[in-house]
Amino acid sequence: MGRKVILATCALNQWALDFDGNLRRILKSVEVARSRGARYRLGPELDVCGYGCADHFYESDTLLHCFQVLKELLESPVTQDIICDVGMPVMHHNVRYNCRVIFLNKKILLIRPKMLLANHGNNRELLTVSAGYSRLGIVLFLIPDFETVPFGDGVLSTNDTCIGSEICAELWNPRSPHVDMGLDGVEIITNSSASYHELSKASRRVSLIRSATSKSGGIYMFANQRGCDGDRLYYDGCAMIAVNGDIVAQGAQFSLEDVEVLTASLDLEDVRSYRGEKCHPYLQPEYRPCHRVKVDFSLSESQDVYFPSHEPIEWRFHLAEEEISLGPACWLWDYLRRSGQAGFLLPLSGGVDSSSTACIVYSMCHQICQAVKNGSAQVLEDVRHVVGNAAYTPKEPRELCGRLFTTCYMASENSSQDTCNRAKDLAAQIGSTHINLNIDMAVKAILGIFSLVTGKLPQFRANGGSTRENIALQNVQARVRMILAYLFAQLSLWAQGRPGGLLVLGSANVDESLTGYFTKYDCSSADINPIGGISKTDLKRFLQYCADKFKLSALHSILAAPPSAELEPLRHGHVSQTDESDMGMTYTELSLIGRLRKISKCGPYSMFCKLIHMWRETCSPSQVAVKVKHFFRMYSANRHKMTTVTPAYHAENYSPDDNRFDLRPFLYNTLWNRQFRCIDEQVTTLSTLRQEALFDAVAQDALDSTPL
């Protein structure tokens, strides 16, 4: 028996309910792990069926197919002589559990259910599975037509070490299982996750794993899903291995590869030495020993003294702008290749939002070309399938962008030449197939029908019309653009004699979604939206990053221009309408308000109480009150739009996504009577206090100036 072990963890791009594809990727990861000498392979959470099965977990078919895959894994020669750790739902006593199934040489060693479920943010695990509980201990579980196996909260005791499991959210819990495991001598702790991407979340993840092993020592293995498994989330890999508070192996956060395996050679004596002065379990009042399941197998070899041990490394974190460039691009590629479509179409207006979407597609093309250049046979096969040419090999991003990406500038009589030029220049620099068309004929036809029926012709406010007329005329233009976008997405390749259709991309940012500053069923209505979870302020920083990284000089004029919908008449040939004027607040103010609403859980009164301090240098309490009331009136009046908004990439925890992340009513009392009354009372109180303080200050000055 030796002292050094080779362990393997991985990041897999699994797809919900793609049982055959998931099986292939699991076997590939085991094959790579074995080839590197590993004797333990850890996979992501629910890697057999995919994490995002949602209500499909209720179906008996899901359980059936999981056990069919498990049977094939057990019988495969690839999985022999290595402990394999896979994830799947298991039903015990008619209760479904999210489980790790750990097996070796055709024998299941332990089924360990998830003890602490994730039930916040995008996770709603309590709706589909139950949490295991420690009182269950280890019980015998009968697998039909197979065998009786241990089921419950236990750890594996091999001939040379002890291995315990955590599953995803258990790491983030204040009572994480790894604490008791470390105190009870468990030397290797694994974590199988389906942890989705949010900007800067990787740093929190790494910090937790470092902390888990710095407190009481040990080896910590982290496996994660990576990619789009069928919904708004992108799972961002970051497979890693840590020892005694140090990261010794780091996997990629963003990648187009379906399988990434990370291995490390580690010295168990390092753990034992570290714990020598730190672990005193019987001095801990609530210490709970672990139930051990004996396994006649060794992870180490007797002649391993010459095996090198991995040394600590510094984790390289991406900037937020890099994450926006990489994460949504990988998500788009997964969606494109798995949807069977031939590319994307984007209504490109020449503004910050649509330009951001265009740059994300260009970043996707960069990553594809780089992966092919690095020798990825899988990515090359995928891109050939998408373009419909088995002999095609992408050489550079602009050329690939021209094959996959169509941009369309839809001008009206209210569009400026400046935005037309900006859209054309950006399209030329990224290489997209660019279309320039005019929608005035379609708009006039629709208004002509209305005028024929009613005898009235609405006018813009600038031409003497009412607010209702003004908004309706803007909406007609916006909705015509949506119709044309889908028409060209379906038939533009047909017109070129090419097969397939295009996915329509949206470009409404999180601030516009929050306030409802968009037309319901306009060209923000699309198939998917890569920027729908990102604020305008973050997008501007992202475009500056793209201008520097990709040398896209066209972005400089786009960043310099004031954001505008360009739906109202021009004034002397120039834009008269701006987004911030229409919304009644700046994007910077909206970004802060959005964070307070969602992250800080602020209603109108709580938000006012925070903002009077945060904005004290620029706004009086009464001005803050006006802004808060205006926001909540807009938000509540337009919340219904979120029920039909385009599925968007989840990028931040201030997202207003109505699907499952930000669950709110969509019919509000927009008067907010009591809430606004509390704000008004506070404004009055603050005004009185300020006047009294001013009076006292004047009186004190008078006393100070009186001669003695």
Side-chain angles (χ1 to χ4, degrees), residues 198-225:
E198 285 180 351
L199 298 181
S200 303
K201 182 179 178 181
S203 63
R204 302 197 300 274
R205 202 182 282 144
V206 172
S207 177
L208 283 169
I209 290 172
R210 280 179 169 151
S211 173
T213 57
S214 64
K215 287 181 291 188
S216 58
I219 296 168
Y220 202 100
M221 302 169 62
F222 178 81
N224 195 19
Q225 187 160 309

PDB file of all heavy atoms in Angstrom, residues 198-225:
ATOM      1  N   GLU A 198     -22.679  32.622 -13.404  1.00  0.00           N
ATOM      2  CA  GLU A 198     -23.038  34.022 -13.169  1.00  0.00           C
ATOM      3  C   GLU A 198     -21.733  34.797 -13.174  1.00  0.00           C
ATOM      4  O   GLU A 198     -20.679  34.249 -12.832  1.00  0.00           O
ATOM      5  CB  GLU A 198     -23.756  34.217 -11.833  1.00  0.00           C
ATOM      6  CG  GLU A 198     -25.201  33.751 -11.832  1.00  0.00           C
ATOM      7  CD  GLU A 198     -25.880  33.951 -10.479  1.00  0.00           C
ATOM      8  OE1 GLU A 198     -25.173  34.285  -9.499  1.00  0.00           O
ATOM      9  OE2 GLU A 198     -27.107  33.775 -10.398  1.00  0.00           O
ATOM     10  N   LEU A 199     -21.785  36.045 -13.560  1.00  0.00           N
ATOM     11  CA  LEU A 199     -20.567  36.851 -13.620  1.00  0.00           C
ATOM     12  C   LEU A 199     -19.869  36.854 -12.266  1.00  0.00           C
ATOM     13  O   LEU A 199     -20.489  37.133 -11.238  1.00  0.00           O
ATOM     14  CB  LEU A 199     -20.892  38.277 -14.053  1.00  0.00           C
ATOM     15  CG  LEU A 199     -21.504  38.442 -15.454  1.00  0.00           C
ATOM     16  CD1 LEU A 199     -21.748  39.914 -15.755  1.00  0.00           C
ATOM     17  CD2 LEU A 199     -20.615  37.830 -16.521  1.00  0.00           C
ATOM     18  N   SER A 200     -18.598  36.499 -12.276  1.00  0.00           N
ATOM     19  CA  SER A 200     -17.719  36.502 -11.093  1.00  0.00           C
ATOM     20  C   SER A 200     -18.063  35.418 -10.070  1.00  0.00           C
ATOM     21  O   SER A 200     -17.510  35.422  -8.973  1.00  0.00           O
ATOM     22  CB  SER A 200     -17.724  37.880 -10.407  1.00  0.00           C
ATOM     23  OG  SER A 200     -17.333  38.898 -11.306  1.00  0.00           O
ATOM     24  N   LYS A 201     -18.939  34.489 -10.404  1.00  0.00           N
ATOM     25  CA  LYS A 201     -19.293  33.425  -9.472  1.00  0.00           C
ATOM     26  C   LYS A 201     -18.131  32.463  -9.242  1.00  0.00           C
ATOM     27  O   LYS A 201     -18.014  31.854  -8.169  1.00  0.00           O
ATOM     28  CB  LYS A 201     -20.509  32.661 -10.008  1.00  0.00           C
ATOM     29  CG  LYS A 201     -21.017  31.548  -9.098  1.00  0.00           C
ATOM     30  CD  LYS A 201     -22.238  30.871  -9.710  1.00  0.00           C
ATOM     31  CE  LYS A 201     -22.743  29.721  -8.871  1.00  0.00           C
ATOM     32  NZ  LYS A 201     -23.921  29.064  -9.497  1.00  0.00           N
ATOM     33  N   ALA A 202     -17.252  32.326 -10.222  1.00  0.00           N
ATOM     34  CA  ALA A 202     -16.141  31.381 -10.101  1.00  0.00           C
ATOM     35  C   ALA A 202     -15.274  31.693  -8.893  1.00  0.00           C
ATOM     36  O   ALA A 202     -14.766  30.781  -8.224  1.00  0.00           O
ATOM     37  CB  ALA A 202     -15.297  31.395 -11.377  1.00  0.00           C
ATOM     38  N   SER A 203     -15.099  32.957  -8.580  1.00  0.00           N
ATOM     39  CA  SER A 203     -14.250  33.321  -7.434  1.00  0.00           C
ATOM     40  C   SER A 203     -14.866  32.852  -6.125  1.00  0.00           C
ATOM     41  O   SER A 203     -14.153  32.409  -5.214  1.00  0.00           O
ATOM     42  CB  SER A 203     -14.017  34.833  -7.403  1.00  0.00           C
ATOM     43  OG  SER A 203     -15.234  35.537  -7.220  1.00  0.00           O
ATOM     44  N   ARG A 204     -16.198  32.909  -6.020  1.00  0.00           N
ATOM     45  CA  ARG A 204     -16.866  32.421  -4.808  1.00  0.00           C
ATOM     46  C   ARG A 204     -16.733  30.907  -4.696  1.00  0.00           C
ATOM     47  O   ARG A 204     -16.539  30.361  -3.614  1.00  0.00           O
ATOM     48  CB  ARG A 204     -18.348  32.831  -4.813  1.00  0.00           C
ATOM     49  CG  ARG A 204     -18.569  34.322  -4.919  1.00  0.00           C
ATOM     50  CD  ARG A 204     -19.985  34.742  -4.522  1.00  0.00           C
ATOM     51  NE  ARG A 204     -21.025  34.148  -5.332  1.00  0.00           N
ATOM     52  CZ  ARG A 204     -21.443  34.652  -6.488  1.00  0.00           C
ATOM     53  NH1 ARG A 204     -20.878  35.733  -6.988  1.00  0.00           N
ATOM     54  NH2 ARG A 204     -22.421  34.076  -7.167  1.00  0.00           N
ATOM     55  N   ARG A 205     -16.832  30.239  -5.833  1.00  0.00           N
ATOM     56  CA  ARG A 205     -16.708  28.782  -5.873  1.00  0.00           C
ATOM     57  C   ARG A 205     -15.315  28.343  -5.400  1.00  0.00           C
ATOM     58  O   ARG A 205     -15.172  27.463  -4.552  1.00  0.00           O
ATOM     59  CB  ARG A 205     -16.966  28.332  -7.308  1.00  0.00           C
ATOM     60  CG  ARG A 205     -17.383  26.908  -7.493  1.00  0.00           C
ATOM     61  CD  ARG A 205     -17.542  26.633  -8.975  1.00  0.00           C
ATOM     62  NE  ARG A 205     -18.774  27.127  -9.545  1.00  0.00           N
ATOM     63  CZ  ARG A 205     -18.899  27.622 -10.766  1.00  0.00           C
ATOM     64  NH1 ARG A 205     -17.855  27.711 -11.551  1.00  0.00           N
ATOM     65  NH2 ARG A 205     -20.065  28.038 -11.206  1.00  0.00           N
ATOM     66  N   VAL A 206     -14.297  28.975  -5.958  1.00  0.00           N
ATOM     67  CA  VAL A 206     -12.921  28.637  -5.597  1.00  0.00           C
ATOM     68  C   VAL A 206     -12.663  28.939  -4.125  1.00  0.00           C
ATOM     69  O   VAL A 206     -12.013  28.165  -3.408  1.00  0.00           O
ATOM     70  CB  VAL A 206     -11.925  29.402  -6.494  1.00  0.00           C
ATOM     71  CG1 VAL A 206     -10.497  29.219  -6.005  1.00  0.00           C
ATOM     72  CG2 VAL A 206     -12.048  28.931  -7.942  1.00  0.00           C
ATOM     73  N   SER A 207     -13.185  30.068  -3.648  1.00  0.00           N
ATOM     74  CA  SER A 207     -12.993  30.442  -2.244  1.00  0.00           C
ATOM     75  C   SER A 207     -13.599  29.409  -1.298  1.00  0.00           C
ATOM     76  O   SER A 207     -12.996  29.047  -0.275  1.00  0.00           O
ATOM     77  CB  SER A 207     -13.620  31.821  -1.993  1.00  0.00           C
ATOM     78  OG  SER A 207     -13.517  32.187  -0.649  1.00  0.00           O
ATOM     79  N   LEU A 208     -14.780  28.912  -1.641  1.00  0.00           N
ATOM     80  CA  LEU A 208     -15.429  27.905  -0.796  1.00  0.00           C
ATOM     81  C   LEU A 208     -14.619  26.607  -0.757  1.00  0.00           C
ATOM     82  O   LEU A 208     -14.486  25.978   0.300  1.00  0.00           O
ATOM     83  CB  LEU A 208     -16.837  27.619  -1.317  1.00  0.00           C
ATOM     84  CG  LEU A 208     -17.919  28.652  -0.994  1.00  0.00           C
ATOM     85  CD1 LEU A 208     -19.182  28.363  -1.791  1.00  0.00           C
ATOM     86  CD2 LEU A 208     -18.230  28.644   0.496  1.00  0.00           C
ATOM     87  N   ILE A 209     -14.083  26.206  -1.891  1.00  0.00           N
ATOM     88  CA  ILE A 209     -13.328  24.947  -1.942  1.00  0.00           C
ATOM     89  C   ILE A 209     -12.003  25.086  -1.214  1.00  0.00           C
ATOM     90  O   ILE A 209     -11.571  24.171  -0.501  1.00  0.00           O
ATOM     91  CB  ILE A 209     -13.151  24.517  -3.411  1.00  0.00           C
ATOM     92  CG1 ILE A 209     -14.511  24.066  -3.969  1.00  0.00           C
ATOM     93  CG2 ILE A 209     -12.117  23.409  -3.552  1.00  0.00           C
ATOM     94  CD1 ILE A 209     -14.535  23.803  -5.442  1.00  0.00           C
ATOM     95  N   ARG A 210     -11.371  26.222  -1.359  1.00  0.00           N
ATOM     96  CA  ARG A 210     -10.147  26.454  -0.581  1.00  0.00           C
ATOM     97  C   ARG A 210     -10.444  26.421   0.912  1.00  0.00           C
ATOM     98  O   ARG A 210      -9.707  25.806   1.696  1.00  0.00           O
ATOM     99  CB  ARG A 210      -9.548  27.813  -0.960  1.00  0.00           C
ATOM    100  CG  ARG A 210      -8.745  27.792  -2.242  1.00  0.00           C
ATOM    101  CD  ARG A 210      -8.216  29.161  -2.561  1.00  0.00           C
ATOM    102  NE  ARG A 210      -7.237  29.122  -3.636  1.00  0.00           N
ATOM    103  CZ  ARG A 210      -7.019  30.119  -4.491  1.00  0.00           C
ATOM    104  NH1 ARG A 210      -7.722  31.233  -4.399  1.00  0.00           N
ATOM    105  NH2 ARG A 210      -6.098  30.005  -5.426  1.00  0.00           N
ATOM    106  N   SER A 211     -11.535  27.065   1.289  1.00  0.00           N
ATOM    107  CA  SER A 211     -11.899  27.117   2.706  1.00  0.00           C
ATOM    108  C   SER A 211     -12.226  25.727   3.243  1.00  0.00           C
ATOM    109  O   SER A 211     -11.878  25.385   4.371  1.00  0.00           O
ATOM    110  CB  SER A 211     -13.095  28.052   2.899  1.00  0.00           C
ATOM    111  OG  SER A 211     -13.582  28.005   4.215  1.00  0.00           O
ATOM    112  N   ALA A 212     -12.896  24.904   2.421  1.00  0.00           N
ATOM    113  CA  ALA A 212     -13.311  23.572   2.865  1.00  0.00           C
ATOM    114  C   ALA A 212     -12.128  22.723   3.297  1.00  0.00           C
ATOM    115  O   ALA A 212     -12.234  21.916   4.233  1.00  0.00           O
ATOM    116  CB  ALA A 212     -14.084  22.870   1.748  1.00  0.00           C
ATOM    117  N   THR A 213     -10.977  22.897   2.603  1.00  0.00           N
ATOM    118  CA  THR A 213      -9.826  22.060   2.942  1.00  0.00           C
ATOM    119  C   THR A 213      -8.782  22.788   3.779  1.00  0.00           C
ATOM    120  O   THR A 213      -7.890  22.143   4.334  1.00  0.00           O
ATOM    121  CB  THR A 213      -9.156  21.524   1.665  1.00  0.00           C
ATOM    122  OG1 THR A 213      -8.769  22.634   0.839  1.00  0.00           O
ATOM    123  CG2 THR A 213     -10.098  20.631   0.903  1.00  0.00           C
ATOM    124  N   SER A 214      -8.864  24.113   3.869  1.00  0.00           N
ATOM    125  CA  SER A 214      -7.896  24.817   4.719  1.00  0.00           C
ATOM    126  C   SER A 214      -8.278  24.709   6.190  1.00  0.00           C
ATOM    127  O   SER A 214      -7.421  24.759   7.075  1.00  0.00           O
ATOM    128  CB  SER A 214      -7.797  26.295   4.315  1.00  0.00           C
ATOM    129  OG  SER A 214      -9.028  26.957   4.539  1.00  0.00           O
ATOM    130  N   LYS A 215      -9.574  24.512   6.481  1.00  0.00           N
ATOM    131  CA  LYS A 215     -10.026  24.433   7.880  1.00  0.00           C
ATOM    132  C   LYS A 215      -9.529  23.163   8.561  1.00  0.00           C
ATOM    133  O   LYS A 215      -9.038  23.219   9.692  1.00  0.00           O
ATOM    134  CB  LYS A 215     -11.564  24.488   7.932  1.00  0.00           C
ATOM    135  CG  LYS A 215     -12.135  25.849   7.641  1.00  0.00           C
ATOM    136  CD  LYS A 215     -13.648  25.871   7.737  1.00  0.00           C
ATOM    137  CE  LYS A 215     -14.300  25.078   6.633  1.00  0.00           C
ATOM    138  NZ  LYS A 215     -15.777  25.254   6.603  1.00  0.00           N
ATOM    139  N   SER A 216      -9.673  22.035   7.861  1.00  0.00           N
ATOM    140  CA  SER A 216      -9.284  20.780   8.508  1.00  0.00           C
ATOM    141  C   SER A 216      -8.505  19.854   7.587  1.00  0.00           C
ATOM    142  O   SER A 216      -8.398  18.666   7.851  1.00  0.00           O
ATOM    143  CB  SER A 216     -10.532  20.051   9.036  1.00  0.00           C
ATOM    144  OG  SER A 216     -11.438  19.795   7.976  1.00  0.00           O
ATOM    145  N   GLY A 217      -7.973  20.409   6.504  1.00  0.00           N
ATOM    146  CA  GLY A 217      -7.163  19.602   5.606  1.00  0.00           C
ATOM    147  C   GLY A 217      -7.992  18.672   4.743  1.00  0.00           C
ATOM    148  O   GLY A 217      -9.209  18.555   4.881  1.00  0.00           O
ATOM    149  N   GLY A 218      -7.325  18.011   3.820  1.00  0.00           N
ATOM    150  CA  GLY A 218      -8.003  17.047   2.959  1.00  0.00           C
ATOM    151  C   GLY A 218      -7.835  17.385   1.491  1.00  0.00           C
ATOM    152  O   GLY A 218      -7.342  18.452   1.108  1.00  0.00           O
ATOM    153  N   ILE A 219      -8.248  16.430   0.668  1.00  0.00           N
ATOM    154  CA  ILE A 219      -8.276  16.596  -0.785  1.00  0.00           C
ATOM    155  C   ILE A 219      -9.723  16.854  -1.190  1.00  0.00           C
ATOM    156  O   ILE A 219     -10.635  16.151  -0.737  1.00  0.00           O
ATOM    157  CB  ILE A 219      -7.752  15.330  -1.488  1.00  0.00           C
ATOM    158  CG1 ILE A 219      -6.272  15.102  -1.137  1.00  0.00           C
ATOM    159  CG2 ILE A 219      -7.942  15.419  -3.000  1.00  0.00           C
ATOM    160  CD1 ILE A 219      -5.752  13.731  -1.552  1.00  0.00           C
ATOM    161  N   TYR A 220      -9.936  17.874  -2.023  1.00  0.00           N
ATOM    162  CA  TYR A 220     -11.294  18.190  -2.471  1.00  0.00           C
ATOM    163  C   TYR A 220     -11.319  18.158  -3.993  1.00  0.00           C
ATOM    164  O   TYR A 220     -10.569  18.878  -4.666  1.00  0.00           O
ATOM    165  CB  TYR A 220     -11.727  19.571  -1.968  1.00  0.00           C
ATOM    166  CG  TYR A 220     -13.229  19.754  -1.919  1.00  0.00           C
ATOM    167  CD1 TYR A 220     -13.931  19.625  -0.722  1.00  0.00           C
ATOM    168  CD2 TYR A 220     -13.961  20.040  -3.067  1.00  0.00           C
ATOM    169  CE1 TYR A 220     -15.311  19.787  -0.668  1.00  0.00           C
ATOM    170  CE2 TYR A 220     -15.335  20.196  -3.026  1.00  0.00           C
ATOM    171  CZ  TYR A 220     -16.007  20.067  -1.824  1.00  0.00           C
ATOM    172  OH  TYR A 220     -17.382  20.219  -1.778  1.00  0.00           O
ATOM    173  N   MET A 221     -12.193  17.305  -4.540  1.00  0.00           N
ATOM    174  CA  MET A 221     -12.362  17.181  -5.990  1.00  0.00           C
ATOM    175  C   MET A 221     -13.706  17.797  -6.386  1.00  0.00           C
ATOM    176  O   MET A 221     -14.741  17.463  -5.815  1.00  0.00           O
ATOM    177  CB  MET A 221     -12.350  15.714  -6.416  1.00  0.00           C
ATOM    178  CG  MET A 221     -11.095  14.956  -6.039  1.00  0.00           C
ATOM    179  SD  MET A 221     -11.322  13.177  -6.290  1.00  0.00           S
ATOM    180  CE  MET A 221     -11.612  13.114  -8.064  1.00  0.00           C
ATOM    181  N   PHE A 222     -13.667  18.669  -7.389  1.00  0.00           N
ATOM    182  CA  PHE A 222     -14.880  19.348  -7.848  1.00  0.00           C
ATOM    183  C   PHE A 222     -15.105  19.026  -9.319  1.00  0.00           C
ATOM    184  O   PHE A 222     -14.241  19.273 -10.160  1.00  0.00           O
ATOM    185  CB  PHE A 222     -14.735  20.858  -7.659  1.00  0.00           C
ATOM    186  CG  PHE A 222     -15.916  21.666  -8.142  1.00  0.00           C
ATOM    187  CD1 PHE A 222     -17.053  21.804  -7.359  1.00  0.00           C
ATOM    188  CD2 PHE A 222     -15.880  22.294  -9.381  1.00  0.00           C
ATOM    189  CE1 PHE A 222     -18.139  22.555  -7.801  1.00  0.00           C
ATOM    190  CE2 PHE A 222     -16.961  23.044  -9.835  1.00  0.00           C
ATOM    191  CZ  PHE A 222     -18.091  23.178  -9.040  1.00  0.00           C
ATOM    192  N   ALA A 223     -16.272  18.423  -9.614  1.00  0.00           N
ATOM    193  CA  ALA A 223     -16.680  18.160 -11.000  1.00  0.00           C
ATOM    194  C   ALA A 223     -17.918  18.995 -11.298  1.00  0.00           C
ATOM    195  O   ALA A 223     -18.762  19.206 -10.420  1.00  0.00           O
ATOM    196  CB  ALA A 223     -16.990  16.677 -11.202  1.00  0.00           C
ATOM    197  N   ASN A 224     -18.035  19.458 -12.518  1.00  0.00           N
ATOM    198  CA  ASN A 224     -19.180  20.301 -12.852  1.00  0.00           C
ATOM    199  C   ASN A 224     -19.627  20.030 -14.281  1.00  0.00           C
ATOM    200  O   ASN A 224     -18.832  19.618 -15.135  1.00  0.00           O
ATOM    201  CB  ASN A 224     -18.811  21.781 -12.702  1.00  0.00           C
ATOM    202  CG  ASN A 224     -20.032  22.692 -12.676  1.00  0.00           C
ATOM    203  OD1 ASN A 224     -21.147  22.243 -12.417  1.00  0.00           O
ATOM    204  ND2 ASN A 224     -19.834  23.969 -12.942  1.00  0.00           N
ATOM    205  N   GLN A 225     -20.895  20.260 -14.504  1.00  0.00           N
ATOM    206  CA  GLN A 225     -21.407  20.214 -15.864  1.00  0.00           C
ATOM    207  C   GLN A 225     -20.914  21.460 -16.600  1.00  0.00           C
ATOM    208  O   GLN A 225     -20.589  22.470 -15.985  1.00  0.00           O
ATOM    209  CB  GLN A 225     -22.935  20.180 -15.845  1.00  0.00           C
ATOM    210  CG  GLN A 225     -23.561  19.973 -17.211  1.00  0.00           C
ATOM    211  CD  GLN A 225     -24.978  19.460 -17.121  1.00  0.00           C
ATOM    212  OE1 GLN A 225     -25.242  18.488 -16.426  1.00  0.00           O
ATOM    213  NE2 GLN A 225     -25.891  20.105 -17.818  1.00  0.00           N
TER     214      GLN A 225
END
